[in-house]
Amino acid sequence: MSAVKDLVTIKGVKDGLIFILDEHCDYEDLIRELEYKLENSHQRLLSGAEIKVHIRTSNRIMSDKDKERICGIIGRSGNLIVASIDNEPVRKRKSGLKVHTGVVRSGQILEHDGDMMLLGDLNPGGIIRTSGSLFVMGALRGMAHAGKDGDTMAVIAASYMRPTQLRIADVVSRPPDEWDISDAQMEFAYLVDGVMKIDRISQFCHVRPDLFSS
Amino acid sequence: MTVGEAIVVTSGKGGVGKTTTSANVGTALALLGKKVCMVDTDIGLRNLDVVMGLENRIIYDLVDVAEGNCRLAQALIKDKRFDHLYLLPAAQTRDKDAVSPEKLKEMVDELKRDFDYVIIDCPAGIEQGFRNAVAGADQAIVVTTPENSAVRDADRIIGLLEKSDLRQPKLVINRIRPHMVKSGNMLDIDEICSILSIDLLGIVPDDENIIKGANSGEPTVMNPDTPASIAYRNIARRILGDTVPLMVLEDKPGLFKKIRKWFGLGK
């Protein structure tokens, strides 16, 4: 059994305990192991003074009910108090790229949940919003917003980058105050620590090596 | 029976030369021997009759026809300077919503039976007046000037035209001042075409004769030698399907070579 990875890892820190819950396994398996550990192998935890517990669930997608159930199991034991539960899964990227052809003109809005490729121009006054990344195989002269639901890893690439405004997640940037644009090169915009940067497309693999690897 | 073609002249922005273009293109087509009827859809702010010098001959107007006060033929004003040029004037006392798009389409369809070309002068804006004007049209001419604001509005209009199934509208760039383009103080034609990405139908230089003609009720195109007149005649010939090279506004050779080629492709 030692080869099997623990689904529930309990670590002691200065102000209490951290429960690290596996993010990939079946939810019921997780609950079973949590109950088992609390009731059998780690029973010594249950006696003694009050201990604060921080729960880390990483990227598991959980409903409020799921979270309550875990808090309930831990709280059942009396002296364990759930101080925090962090669960902010990174939105799962939708697989596949939506391809749109045509010019997005002034006053037109294109929205998509996922990644999008535009075969055409985005004109001044036109808007494209995607929850994922945006690739414009033409001139980007309008307003592009990638990662509209808060995905800071999203990028905006364009063959001809002359935007009115770029937004990634909550960061708004407009040229040329914040970055320079070069001529005749395909470029992409991305976020580093909340600041928008622009680079040549050839740098993509260094900046976002994992964006499209599953 | 052959049916004529209805062409709407529109722009979004006001003051870029829709009415001037309608008047001159209509007149130029009439000069080329076509039967032409111009329809002013700018209800409440009619102008086309003034520019054509036909204001004092209006008896019935477009709204009268729509409301059944007269027959369509009664409202048409014949321009006596030409064999086959007519005007259907707009009402000055009413509002854009005095006519519905369906009603206008009916009228235009009726006119198309008697005329080779029905030129519809569209009001500025994107509201009811625009929807009315576009309703009966088979083709669209988008007029813009080399200014960012006009180009932006033209782009918006092209989007709306495409939505109402008037695909592939044609572009007229009006009021070009060659020396300003040359010095880089005015958007150049290449740039406008690359943003709007539709076929270029013609370019018209800024010409004082236009103002003179509009005030005297004589479309510039009747005067054969002014630059704007030549430009409008060229546009009319291109509408008829001729291949006419773009005007060279400056003696610099090859300045518009690229567009000329483009036009050849876009035809």
Side-chain angles (χ1 to χ4, degrees):
Chain A
M1 285 296 278
S2 60
V4 178
K5 199 186 152 209
D6 281 340
L7 301 182
V8 178
T9 312
I10 301 172
K11 278 185 180 168
V13 287
K14 214 166 149 193
D15 68 334
L17 294 171
I18 296 180
F19 279 52
I20 302 168
L21 309 182
D22 187 272
E23 62 181 83
H24 297 299
C25 72
D26 184 69
Y27 181 73
E28 293 304 323
D29 289 345
L30 186 74
I31 294 292
R32 220 168 294 134
E33 176 154 334
L34 183 65
E35 283 177 333
Y36 178 83
K37 282 207 167 160
L38 285 174
E39 283 162 19
N40 303 300
S41 54
H42 291 67
Q43 249 200 326
R44 59 197 150 81
L45 289 176
L46 304 180
S47 50
E50 284 185 354
I51 305 171
K52 279 186 185 163
V53 173
H54 302 275
I55 304 169
R56 296 221 179 123
T57 59
S58 305
N59 281 326
R60 176 182 292 277
I61 294 169
M62 289 163 65
S63 65
D64 286 343
K65 217 172 152 191
D66 293 339
K67 285 183 206 168
E68 271 169 31
R69 191 164 162 206
I70 287 176
C71 293
I73 291 167
I74 293 170
R76 215 190 288 160
S77 42
N79 62 331
L80 296 183
I81 295 159
V82 178
S84 71
I85 175 161
D86 82 62
N87 176 243
E88 277 173 31
V90 173
R91 261 182 97 87
K92 279 274 184 250
R93 267 166 213 295
K94 289 214 168 167
S95 58
L97 189 66
K98 157 105 177 168
V99 179
H100 182 92
T101 54
V103 180
V104 179
R105 298 185 182 275
S106 179
Q108 297 179 334
I109 302 177
L110 208 59
E111 285 197 71
H112 176 62
D113 208 8
D115 297 323
M116 174 176 259
M117 164 137 55
L118 175 71
L119 301 178
D121 294 347
L122 171 57
N123 275 359
I127 299 172
I128 299 185
R129 289 200 189 96
T130 62
S131 64
S133 295
L134 172 66
F135 306 91
V136 179
M137 301 284 112
L140 195 169
R141 298 191 180 92
M143 203 282 269
H145 190 178
K148 65 183 166 89
D149 301 326
D151 183 358
T152 53
M153 293 300 278
V155 302
I156 301 169
S159 305
Y160 183 76
M161 187 74 96
R162 290 289 182 282
T164 327
Q165 198 181 81
L166 290 183
R167 299 182 192 173
I168 298 177
D170 301 326
V171 180
V172 179
S173 178
R174 64 197 173 91
D177 325 0
E178 291 164 47
W179 28 268
D180 289 328
I181 23 189
S182 70
D183 266 333
Q185 271 189 336
M186 183 147 181
E187 293 169 306
F188 74 107
Y190 58 98
L191 291 183
V192 191
D193 302 326
V195 178
M196 203 175 296
K197 294 247 184 334
I198 287 269
D199 219 327
R200 282 171 297 137
I201 200 73
S202 53
Q203 297 301 307
F204 193 96
C205 56
H206 306 300
V207 175
R208 290 279 184 274
D210 303 322
L211 193 60
F212 286 99
S213 53
S214 46
Chain B
M1 197 177 73
T2 52
V3 178
E5 197 175 19
I7 304 175
V8 61
V9 178
T10 181
S11 72
K13 192 175 181 298
V16 297
K18 284 178 297 295
T19 303
T20 310
T21 303
S22 303
N24 282 291
V25 169
T27 308
L29 285 168
L31 280 169
L32 289 166
K34 295 291 166 190
K35 291 184 185 172
V36 180
C37 182
M38 297 183 285
V39 180
D40 191 351
T41 60
D42 202 345
I43 302 166
L45 289 168
R46 70 175 178 211
N47 281 155
L48 190 53
D49 51 321
V50 181
V51 172
M52 291 301 297
L54 299 172
E55 190 182 13
N56 53 8
R57 295 185 43 207
I58 296 176
I59 295 167
Y60 294 114
D61 56 46
L62 189 129
V63 176
D64 287 324
V65 180
E67 291 179 346
N69 300 334
C70 69
R71 282 175 294 113
L72 181 60
Q74 285 178 298
L76 294 183
I77 304 169
K78 182 177 169 26
D79 190 327
K80 289 174 180 158
R81 294 165 290 191
F82 307 93
D83 294 335
H84 293 293
L85 183 62
Y86 290 80
L87 170 71
L88 176 57
Q92 183 70 334
T93 50
R94 302 292 293 273
D95 217 331
K96 306 283 189 250
D97 46 21
V99 177
S100 68
E102 294 75 27
K103 202 77 203 166
L104 225 129
K105 185 173 172 6
E106 246 172 61
M107 276 184 241
V108 171
D109 285 346
E110 197 178 332
L111 289 170
K112 269 161 59 179
R113 273 178 247 142
D114 297 328
F115 292 93
D116 299 320
Y117 288 97
V118 179
I119 307 291
I120 305 165
D121 186 23
C122 176
I126 53 173
E127 297 85 16
Q128 169 96 33
F130 169 77
R131 285 193 294 273
N132 282 348
V134 163
D138 309 304
Q139 273 277 6
I141 294 176
V142 175
V143 183
T144 188
T145 58
E147 291 161 68
N148 262 327
S149 52
V151 172
R152 202 63 49 86
D153 290 359
D155 194 42
R156 176 92 170 99
I157 283 292
I158 295 166
L160 293 172
L161 288 171
E162 283 171 348
K163 241 191 216 154
S164 43
D165 269 343
L166 278 170
R167 304 202 172 266
Q168 306 194 326
K170 302 275 193 288
L171 182 67
V172 169
I173 305 176
N174 200 5
R175 291 229 200 106
I176 297 168
R177 297 189 194 179
H179 65 279
M180 281 188 77
V181 174
K182 207 178 166 194
S183 61
N185 291 323
M186 199 172 240
L187 285 175
D188 82 354
I189 294 157
D190 273 343
E191 208 174 329
I192 297 169
C193 290
S194 105
I195 290 179
L196 298 179
S197 57
I198 59 172
D199 294 340
L200 186 62
L201 183 64
I203 53 175
V204 183
D206 201 19
D207 188 344
E208 288 179 1
N209 290 302
I210 294 273
I211 303 168
K212 224 162 81 185
N215 286 334
S216 61
E218 232 178 57
T220 318
V221 84
M222 289 169 69
N223 177 347
D225 338 295
T226 67
S229 161
I230 298 166
Y232 280 121
R233 282 162 188 249
N234 287 348
I235 288 171
R237 286 174 60 196
R238 290 187 195 114
I239 291 173
L240 296 183
D242 294 358
T243 308
V244 188
L246 273 193
M247 257 175 112
V248 179
L249 297 179
E250 206 98 36
D251 331 295
K252 209 171 130 198
L255 185 63
F256 299 121
K257 218 189 234 165
K258 223 170 153 186
I259 310 163
R260 218 177 282 156
K261 203 173 79 191
W262 209 39
F263 179 73
L265 279 176
K267 225 183 72 57

